[in-house]
Amino acid sequence: MKYITHLFLLSILILGCQFKSKQKNSNENLAKEEPTFSLNEAINYCTAQASQTLKLIPEGELLPRNITRENNNEWKYVSYKDWTSGFWPGILWYLYEYTGDEKWRQEADRYSRYLIPLSNQSAIDHDLGFQVFNSLGNGYKLTKEQEYKEIVLRTADTLATLYNPNVGTILSWPREVPGMEWPQHNTIMDNMINLELLFWASKNGGTDSLYDVAVNHAQTTMENHFREDYSSYHVVVYDTLTGKPIKKVTHQGYSDDSMWARGQAWAIYGYTMVYRETKDPKFLDFAQKVTDVYLKRLPKDMIPYWDFNVSNIPNEPKDASAAAVTASALLELSDYLDDTEKSNFYRESAEKMIRELSSSRYQSREKNTAFLLHSTGHYPNGSEIDASIIYADYYYLEALLRLKKLQEGVPVIDTAHNTRTSSGL
Ligand code: GLY
């Protein structure tokens, strides 16, 4: 009996050792596939990739926009007129901020200057904030270069010319949009981001009315652009004269009633920023509502498909850009909440997104010189599907730098310019 008991115990010991050894091997395999996330390594990775991209950009005032299979996995370049033109200079300014290296300042200045004509012509759409604030605006915040400031202020005035007081929003596309019949006043969710340019200008020498335009736009959008569950419509078309909504449709989403991933990400980022600029608690509350519906419906890996309602999930392209925008916004939002549990939840969610984006599944690494793979620009148009896109890289780097600041106990946003705290309405 004693012999049998010893044999039994010995077998358990051997089996246990085998299980442990298997587990160790599989952990080692996992570790080989995906080393532990290192924030510094992720930022250094972006720096190295951007250095490579710099060597590839041809002469001729061109800015990198995307890398697609259709373009043989090479960068497609655009001029300053393209809505994405501000992201590459914006990345260069972030790298200058992080490294303090003069090389990045010179490159950021060179590419930012390509966009100056935008401040000297009338507005052809609302994207002036994406373009001029991300480039020369970021440049001004870091260098206090007066010339940049004047350019940004002029551009804010240009953007404000698109404001329609009957409606209470900016006309996002004052031109024909291919495939869409929008004779009246259209406003798209993406427009929320460009309000930051107006807020900044109103606090840095521009007129008070710029602040009012931004607040009115945010308020009107809050009232008309969202369903009961706080998911957003991409486009609302208003009657130009009465200001009444005529229809609510999509342009880049799956259907008029669906939650287009990047549209919702713009809403999360936009209302977080509007709260920062106004300190009005209703916007903080709203930022959380539009965030919660997004987080609740995310897949396990925290990176959304290009639209939350698209019919063929999980066999649909992802949108890493929406994840990057959201991660960056949530790091800011988490900083504004007194409710520790909720603040931690947003911050942990953002960190999970960043870790996933920093894995071999999403980083471009040796595949190309962008930072990230798997963004979707305009699925219904068949363009930029499962691609590297420059704005995904911009918000990814922004999120990494914000996380670094949080870890160092530094405020996520430099609010030195935020001298105005009450609404002038
Ligand atoms: N129009 C901006 C975007 O595609 O998100």
Side-chain angles (χ1 to χ4, degrees):
M1 187 61 190
K2 207 172 166 189
Y3 173 70
I4 292 176
T5 311
H6 280 155
L7 204 63
F8 178 64
L9 286 176
L10 192 66
S11 316
I12 290 191
L13 201 69
I14 290 169
L15 278 173
C17 285
Q18 279 178 343
F19 174 70
K20 266 207 166 148
S21 147
K22 264 194 189 155
Q23 204 181 30
K24 189 166 169 249
N25 282 344
S26 94
N27 282 346
E28 272 169 5
N29 284 342
L30 259 184
K32 247 186 233 153
E33 273 174 25
E34 223 42 85
T36 327
F37 170 68
S38 152
L39 182 53
N40 286 344
E41 272 175 29
I43 301 172
N44 291 340
Y45 159 79
C46 294
T47 314
Q49 295 289 97
S51 291
Q52 293 304 315
T53 299
L54 266 183
K55 292 183 200 151
L56 297 174
I57 303 174
E59 289 301 313
E61 306 211 347
L62 295 170
L63 301 126
R65 168 164 175 155
N66 64 41
I67 301 176
T68 58
R69 274 184 289 276
E70 298 76 56
N71 199 33
N72 299 319
N73 292 318
E74 288 176 5
W75 280 108
K76 178 189 163 197
Y77 302 99
V78 290
S79 80
Y80 73 90
K81 292 181 185 162
D82 190 271
W83 84 270
T84 64
S85 59
F87 294 112
W88 173 245
I91 286 170
L92 299 172
W93 282 119
Y94 279 145
L95 291 176
Y96 173 58
E97 179 185 356
Y98 177 66
T99 61
D101 184 339
E102 198 56 26
K103 158 192 154 176
W104 293 114
R105 177 182 172 143
Q106 281 168 15
E107 295 292 358
D109 175 75
R110 176 159 78 96
Y111 285 96
S112 295
R113 286 182 182 280
Y114 295 169
L115 281 78
I116 293 176
L118 290 169
S119 67
N120 296 323
Q121 57 199 40
S122 49
I124 57 156
D125 69 32
H126 69 108
D127 288 318
L128 289 165
F130 282 121
Q131 293 168 302
V132 172
F133 199 59
N134 290 354
S135 53
L136 293 134
N138 277 335
Y140 177 72
K141 283 190 239 167
L142 290 172
T143 63
K144 298 289 175 268
E145 178 71 49
Q146 279 307 302
E147 188 189 356
Y148 297 167
K149 182 177 183 178
E150 283 154 26
I151 295 163
V152 179
L153 285 173
R154 272 205 308 278
T155 311
D157 288 340
T158 309
L159 177 58
T161 62
L162 298 178
Y163 180 71
N164 178 340
N166 298 337
V167 178
T169 68
I170 288 163
L171 170 60
S172 300
W173 289 322
R175 57 186 162 84
E176 273 188 30
V177 180
M180 306 303 288
E181 292 296 321
W182 293 334
Q184 297 264 359
H185 179 101
N186 64 69
T187 298
I188 66 171
M189 184 48 64
D190 330 23
N191 202 143
M192 285 297 301
I193 308 302
N194 296 310
L195 305 182
E196 191 172 4
L197 167 64
L198 303 180
F199 281 122
W200 180 89
S202 74
K203 295 167 183 176
N204 286 274
T207 66
D208 279 357
S209 63
L210 297 172
Y211 184 95
D212 299 341
V213 166
V215 173
N216 285 347
H217 183 107
Q219 176 69 36
T220 308
T221 300
M222 190 163 81
E223 286 162 15
N224 296 312
H225 244 97
F226 293 87
R227 306 179 187 93
E228 271 184 14
D229 66 353
Y230 301 101
S231 65
S232 57
Y233 294 98
H234 185 197
V235 188
V236 176
V237 182
Y238 296 92
D239 186 295
T240 306
L241 297 176
T242 67
K244 289 212 162 56
I246 300 171
K247 58 181 173 178
K248 304 184 180 190
V249 294
T250 197
H251 183 56
Q252 280 160 268
Y254 170 63
S255 72
D256 293 346
D257 293 322
S258 68
M259 184 160 86
W260 173 48
R262 199 166 53 260
Q264 197 68 18
W266 293 139
I268 295 167
Y269 195 107
Y271 282 98
T272 301
M273 175 273 294
V274 172
Y275 171 68
R276 176 215 311 154
E277 299 295 338
T278 61
K279 290 287 169 259
D280 186 333
K282 79 177 168 215
F283 292 124
L284 181 60
D285 181 57
F286 198 69
Q288 294 172 73
K289 288 184 162 119
V290 300
T291 297
D292 291 343
V293 60
Y294 177 100
L295 291 181
K296 203 167 102 199
R297 294 178 58 188
L298 271 183
K300 249 204 179 117
D301 69 355
M302 308 297 279
I303 315 295
Y305 295 92
W306 68 277
D307 190 296
F308 282 78
N309 296 84
V310 66
S311 56
N312 209 20
I313 286 173
N315 300 314
E316 289 285 344
K318 293 280 190 121
D319 184 11
S321 76
V325 170
T326 305
S328 183
L330 291 191
L331 291 176
E332 181 177 3
L333 184 55
S334 69
D335 224 15
Y336 297 145
L337 298 175
D338 293 334
D339 177 343
T340 318
E341 204 178 311
K342 195 132 200 221
S343 169
N344 288 345
F345 174 58
Y346 287 158
R347 178 164 165 179
E348 280 160 19
S349 300
E351 289 190 30
K352 281 185 200 161
M353 292 168 199
I354 290 171
R355 270 199 295 277
E356 182 61 17
L357 290 174
S358 304
S359 73
S360 59
R361 291 177 285 281
Y362 283 91
Q363 281 189 344
S364 304
R365 301 191 182 176
E366 66 291 337
K367 293 193 181 78
N368 66 49
T369 69
F371 304 162
L372 296 177
L373 303 165
H374 308 314
S375 290
T376 298
H378 194 333
Y379 190 97
N381 203 28
S383 60
E384 296 178 319
I385 298 173
D386 195 18
S388 293
I389 311 184
I390 196 72
Y391 45 83
D393 289 5
Y394 175 87
Y395 288 102
Y396 173 59
L397 179 57
E398 183 180 271
L400 293 172
L401 297 182
R402 285 183 175 188
L403 184 56
K404 186 143 185 74
K405 285 179 185 160
L406 273 176
Q407 289 184 353
E408 289 169 354
V410 177
V412 176
I413 306 287
D414 173 12
T415 48
H417 69 276
N418 278 25
T419 48
R420 179 181 172 156
T421 51
S422 66
S423 164
L425 291 173

PDB file of all heavy atoms in Angstrom, residues 386-404:
ATOM      1  N   ASP A 386      -7.860  48.906 -44.868  1.00  0.00           N
ATOM      2  CA  ASP A 386      -6.792  48.131 -44.247  1.00  0.00           C
ATOM      3  C   ASP A 386      -5.419  48.709 -44.636  1.00  0.00           C
ATOM      4  O   ASP A 386      -4.559  47.997 -45.162  1.00  0.00           O
ATOM      5  CB  ASP A 386      -6.905  46.665 -44.670  1.00  0.00           C
ATOM      6  CG  ASP A 386      -6.059  45.786 -43.769  1.00  0.00           C
ATOM      7  OD1 ASP A 386      -5.685  46.224 -42.667  1.00  0.00           O
ATOM      8  OD2 ASP A 386      -5.745  44.644 -44.187  1.00  0.00           O
ATOM      9  N   ALA A 387      -5.258  49.965 -44.391  1.00  0.00           N
ATOM     10  CA  ALA A 387      -4.069  50.689 -44.857  1.00  0.00           C
ATOM     11  C   ALA A 387      -3.314  51.319 -43.688  1.00  0.00           C
ATOM     12  O   ALA A 387      -3.819  51.386 -42.565  1.00  0.00           O
ATOM     13  CB  ALA A 387      -4.517  51.795 -45.811  1.00  0.00           C
ATOM     14  N   SER A 388      -2.108  51.780 -43.988  1.00  0.00           N
ATOM     15  CA  SER A 388      -1.419  52.682 -43.055  1.00  0.00           C
ATOM     16  C   SER A 388      -1.852  54.091 -43.425  1.00  0.00           C
ATOM     17  O   SER A 388      -1.760  54.473 -44.598  1.00  0.00           O
ATOM     18  CB  SER A 388       0.095  52.565 -43.216  1.00  0.00           C
ATOM     19  OG  SER A 388       0.545  51.301 -42.803  1.00  0.00           O
ATOM     20  N   ILE A 389      -2.324  54.852 -42.451  1.00  0.00           N
ATOM     21  CA  ILE A 389      -2.798  56.211 -42.750  1.00  0.00           C
ATOM     22  C   ILE A 389      -2.161  57.175 -41.752  1.00  0.00           C
ATOM     23  O   ILE A 389      -2.085  56.891 -40.551  1.00  0.00           O
ATOM     24  CB  ILE A 389      -4.341  56.318 -42.685  1.00  0.00           C
ATOM     25  CG1 ILE A 389      -5.002  55.197 -43.499  1.00  0.00           C
ATOM     26  CG2 ILE A 389      -4.788  57.676 -43.212  1.00  0.00           C
ATOM     27  CD1 ILE A 389      -6.528  55.270 -43.567  1.00  0.00           C
ATOM     28  N   ILE A 390      -1.777  58.324 -42.264  1.00  0.00           N
ATOM     29  CA  ILE A 390      -0.955  59.247 -41.475  1.00  0.00           C
ATOM     30  C   ILE A 390      -1.648  59.726 -40.195  1.00  0.00           C
ATOM     31  O   ILE A 390      -1.008  59.946 -39.178  1.00  0.00           O
ATOM     32  CB  ILE A 390      -0.487  60.436 -42.362  1.00  0.00           C
ATOM     33  CG1 ILE A 390       0.662  61.194 -41.720  1.00  0.00           C
ATOM     34  CG2 ILE A 390      -1.640  61.356 -42.719  1.00  0.00           C
ATOM     35  CD1 ILE A 390       1.965  60.476 -41.715  1.00  0.00           C
ATOM     36  N   TYR A 391      -2.982  59.863 -40.211  1.00  0.00           N
ATOM     37  CA  TYR A 391      -3.609  60.376 -38.981  1.00  0.00           C
ATOM     38  C   TYR A 391      -3.646  59.324 -37.878  1.00  0.00           C
ATOM     39  O   TYR A 391      -3.668  59.664 -36.706  1.00  0.00           O
ATOM     40  CB  TYR A 391      -4.999  60.998 -39.227  1.00  0.00           C
ATOM     41  CG  TYR A 391      -5.949  60.229 -40.108  1.00  0.00           C
ATOM     42  CD1 TYR A 391      -6.721  59.201 -39.614  1.00  0.00           C
ATOM     43  CD2 TYR A 391      -6.090  60.566 -41.445  1.00  0.00           C
ATOM     44  CE1 TYR A 391      -7.615  58.516 -40.432  1.00  0.00           C
ATOM     45  CE2 TYR A 391      -6.981  59.893 -42.274  1.00  0.00           C
ATOM     46  CZ  TYR A 391      -7.740  58.855 -41.766  1.00  0.00           C
ATOM     47  OH  TYR A 391      -8.617  58.186 -42.566  1.00  0.00           O
ATOM     48  N   ALA A 392      -3.630  58.045 -38.262  1.00  0.00           N
ATOM     49  CA  ALA A 392      -3.517  56.998 -37.231  1.00  0.00           C
ATOM     50  C   ALA A 392      -2.175  57.153 -36.512  1.00  0.00           C
ATOM     51  O   ALA A 392      -2.085  57.084 -35.280  1.00  0.00           O
ATOM     52  CB  ALA A 392      -3.634  55.614 -37.861  1.00  0.00           C
ATOM     53  N   ASP A 393      -1.129  57.401 -37.303  1.00  0.00           N
ATOM     54  CA  ASP A 393       0.214  57.562 -36.719  1.00  0.00           C
ATOM     55  C   ASP A 393       0.270  58.788 -35.807  1.00  0.00           C
ATOM     56  O   ASP A 393       0.859  58.755 -34.722  1.00  0.00           O
ATOM     57  CB  ASP A 393       1.259  57.709 -37.830  1.00  0.00           C
ATOM     58  CG  ASP A 393       1.489  56.397 -38.586  1.00  0.00           C
ATOM     59  OD1 ASP A 393       0.776  55.414 -38.305  1.00  0.00           O
ATOM     60  OD2 ASP A 393       2.374  56.366 -39.456  1.00  0.00           O
ATOM     61  N   TYR A 394      -0.352  59.874 -36.256  1.00  0.00           N
ATOM     62  CA  TYR A 394      -0.326  61.120 -35.458  1.00  0.00           C
ATOM     63  C   TYR A 394      -0.954  60.897 -34.085  1.00  0.00           C
ATOM     64  O   TYR A 394      -0.367  61.227 -33.043  1.00  0.00           O
ATOM     65  CB  TYR A 394      -1.072  62.224 -36.227  1.00  0.00           C
ATOM     66  CG  TYR A 394      -1.220  63.517 -35.464  1.00  0.00           C
ATOM     67  CD1 TYR A 394      -0.229  64.495 -35.505  1.00  0.00           C
ATOM     68  CD2 TYR A 394      -2.359  63.768 -34.696  1.00  0.00           C
ATOM     69  CE1 TYR A 394      -0.371  65.691 -34.806  1.00  0.00           C
ATOM     70  CE2 TYR A 394      -2.507  64.952 -33.989  1.00  0.00           C
ATOM     71  CZ  TYR A 394      -1.507  65.911 -34.049  1.00  0.00           C
ATOM     72  OH  TYR A 394      -1.660  67.087 -33.342  1.00  0.00           O
ATOM     73  N   TYR A 395      -2.159  60.311 -34.074  1.00  0.00           N
ATOM     74  CA  TYR A 395      -2.845  60.148 -32.782  1.00  0.00           C
ATOM     75  C   TYR A 395      -2.210  59.044 -31.935  1.00  0.00           C
ATOM     76  O   TYR A 395      -2.273  59.094 -30.705  1.00  0.00           O
ATOM     77  CB  TYR A 395      -4.348  59.917 -33.002  1.00  0.00           C
ATOM     78  CG  TYR A 395      -5.034  61.183 -33.454  1.00  0.00           C
ATOM     79  CD1 TYR A 395      -5.378  61.383 -34.788  1.00  0.00           C
ATOM     80  CD2 TYR A 395      -5.276  62.224 -32.560  1.00  0.00           C
ATOM     81  CE1 TYR A 395      -5.977  62.566 -35.213  1.00  0.00           C
ATOM     82  CE2 TYR A 395      -5.868  63.415 -32.971  1.00  0.00           C
ATOM     83  CZ  TYR A 395      -6.212  63.579 -34.298  1.00  0.00           C
ATOM     84  OH  TYR A 395      -6.786  64.762 -34.705  1.00  0.00           O
ATOM     85  N   TYR A 396      -1.595  58.069 -32.594  1.00  0.00           N
ATOM     86  CA  TYR A 396      -0.873  57.022 -31.846  1.00  0.00           C
ATOM     87  C   TYR A 396       0.305  57.649 -31.095  1.00  0.00           C
ATOM     88  O   TYR A 396       0.467  57.442 -29.887  1.00  0.00           O
ATOM     89  CB  TYR A 396      -0.398  55.951 -32.828  1.00  0.00           C
ATOM     90  CG  TYR A 396       0.498  54.887 -32.246  1.00  0.00           C
ATOM     91  CD1 TYR A 396       0.075  54.076 -31.187  1.00  0.00           C
ATOM     92  CD2 TYR A 396       1.780  54.670 -32.769  1.00  0.00           C
ATOM     93  CE1 TYR A 396       0.909  53.078 -30.668  1.00  0.00           C
ATOM     94  CE2 TYR A 396       2.612  53.688 -32.266  1.00  0.00           C
ATOM     95  CZ  TYR A 396       2.171  52.892 -31.206  1.00  0.00           C
ATOM     96  OH  TYR A 396       2.989  51.915 -30.701  1.00  0.00           O
ATOM     97  N   LEU A 397       1.090  58.454 -31.814  1.00  0.00           N
ATOM     98  CA  LEU A 397       2.229  59.107 -31.152  1.00  0.00           C
ATOM     99  C   LEU A 397       1.736  60.055 -30.060  1.00  0.00           C
ATOM    100  O   LEU A 397       2.309  60.110 -28.963  1.00  0.00           O
ATOM    101  CB  LEU A 397       3.069  59.860 -32.198  1.00  0.00           C
ATOM    102  CG  LEU A 397       4.285  60.612 -31.670  1.00  0.00           C
ATOM    103  CD1 LEU A 397       5.246  59.691 -30.908  1.00  0.00           C
ATOM    104  CD2 LEU A 397       5.033  61.314 -32.818  1.00  0.00           C
ATOM    105  N   GLU A 398       0.661  60.783 -30.352  1.00  0.00           N
ATOM    106  CA  GLU A 398       0.100  61.690 -29.340  1.00  0.00           C
ATOM    107  C   GLU A 398      -0.298  60.904 -28.089  1.00  0.00           C
ATOM    108  O   GLU A 398      -0.018  61.322 -26.953  1.00  0.00           O
ATOM    109  CB  GLU A 398      -1.110  62.423 -29.920  1.00  0.00           C
ATOM    110  CG  GLU A 398      -1.709  63.433 -28.959  1.00  0.00           C
ATOM    111  CD  GLU A 398      -2.928  64.144 -29.565  1.00  0.00           C
ATOM    112  OE1 GLU A 398      -2.745  65.178 -30.215  1.00  0.00           O
ATOM    113  OE2 GLU A 398      -4.058  63.652 -29.376  1.00  0.00           O
ATOM    114  N   ALA A 399      -0.934  59.753 -28.301  1.00  0.00           N
ATOM    115  CA  ALA A 399      -1.359  58.931 -27.156  1.00  0.00           C
ATOM    116  C   ALA A 399      -0.151  58.438 -26.364  1.00  0.00           C
ATOM    117  O   ALA A 399      -0.151  58.449 -25.125  1.00  0.00           O
ATOM    118  CB  ALA A 399      -2.200  57.751 -27.653  1.00  0.00           C
ATOM    119  N   LEU A 400       0.895  58.020 -27.063  1.00  0.00           N
ATOM    120  CA  LEU A 400       2.105  57.541 -26.367  1.00  0.00           C
ATOM    121  C   LEU A 400       2.707  58.665 -25.517  1.00  0.00           C
ATOM    122  O   LEU A 400       3.093  58.452 -24.356  1.00  0.00           O
ATOM    123  CB  LEU A 400       3.143  57.048 -27.378  1.00  0.00           C
ATOM    124  CG  LEU A 400       2.796  55.782 -28.177  1.00  0.00           C
ATOM    125  CD1 LEU A 400       3.839  55.551 -29.272  1.00  0.00           C
ATOM    126  CD2 LEU A 400       2.718  54.554 -27.274  1.00  0.00           C
ATOM    127  N   LEU A 401       2.763  59.858 -26.088  1.00  0.00           N
ATOM    128  CA  LEU A 401       3.367  60.979 -25.349  1.00  0.00           C
ATOM    129  C   LEU A 401       2.490  61.407 -24.172  1.00  0.00           C
ATOM    130  O   LEU A 401       2.988  61.773 -23.106  1.00  0.00           O
ATOM    131  CB  LEU A 401       3.629  62.162 -26.285  1.00  0.00           C
ATOM    132  CG  LEU A 401       4.644  61.889 -27.406  1.00  0.00           C
ATOM    133  CD1 LEU A 401       4.875  63.130 -28.259  1.00  0.00           C
ATOM    134  CD2 LEU A 401       5.988  61.408 -26.855  1.00  0.00           C
ATOM    135  N   ARG A 402       1.169  61.312 -24.360  1.00  0.00           N
ATOM    136  CA  ARG A 402       0.264  61.634 -23.243  1.00  0.00           C
ATOM    137  C   ARG A 402       0.424  60.613 -22.119  1.00  0.00           C
ATOM    138  O   ARG A 402       0.429  60.966 -20.940  1.00  0.00           O
ATOM    139  CB  ARG A 402      -1.188  61.645 -23.729  1.00  0.00           C
ATOM    140  CG  ARG A 402      -1.532  62.882 -24.529  1.00  0.00           C
ATOM    141  CD  ARG A 402      -2.989  62.916 -24.947  1.00  0.00           C
ATOM    142  NE  ARG A 402      -3.298  64.180 -25.606  1.00  0.00           N
ATOM    143  CZ  ARG A 402      -4.527  64.576 -25.953  1.00  0.00           C
ATOM    144  NH1 ARG A 402      -5.570  63.785 -25.722  1.00  0.00           N
ATOM    145  NH2 ARG A 402      -4.728  65.730 -26.532  1.00  0.00           N
ATOM    146  N   LEU A 403       0.565  59.353 -22.499  1.00  0.00           N
ATOM    147  CA  LEU A 403       0.734  58.310 -21.467  1.00  0.00           C
ATOM    148  C   LEU A 403       2.035  58.539 -20.708  1.00  0.00           C
ATOM    149  O   LEU A 403       2.087  58.388 -19.481  1.00  0.00           O
ATOM    150  CB  LEU A 403       0.719  56.923 -22.131  1.00  0.00           C
ATOM    151  CG  LEU A 403       0.797  55.723 -21.196  1.00  0.00           C
ATOM    152  CD1 LEU A 403      -0.318  55.745 -20.152  1.00  0.00           C
ATOM    153  CD2 LEU A 403       0.728  54.413 -21.994  1.00  0.00           C
ATOM    154  N   LYS A 404       3.060  58.930 -21.432  1.00  0.00           N
ATOM    155  CA  LYS A 404       4.352  59.192 -20.777  1.00  0.00           C
ATOM    156  C   LYS A 404       4.200  60.322 -19.756  1.00  0.00           C
ATOM    157  O   LYS A 404       4.700  60.232 -18.635  1.00  0.00           O
ATOM    158  CB  LYS A 404       5.406  59.542 -21.833  1.00  0.00           C
ATOM    159  CG  LYS A 404       6.794  59.687 -21.282  1.00  0.00           C
ATOM    160  CD  LYS A 404       7.855  59.166 -22.206  1.00  0.00           C
ATOM    161  CE  LYS A 404       9.235  59.229 -21.569  1.00  0.00           C
ATOM    162  NZ  LYS A 404       9.437  58.212 -20.537  1.00  0.00           N
TER     163      LYS A 404
END
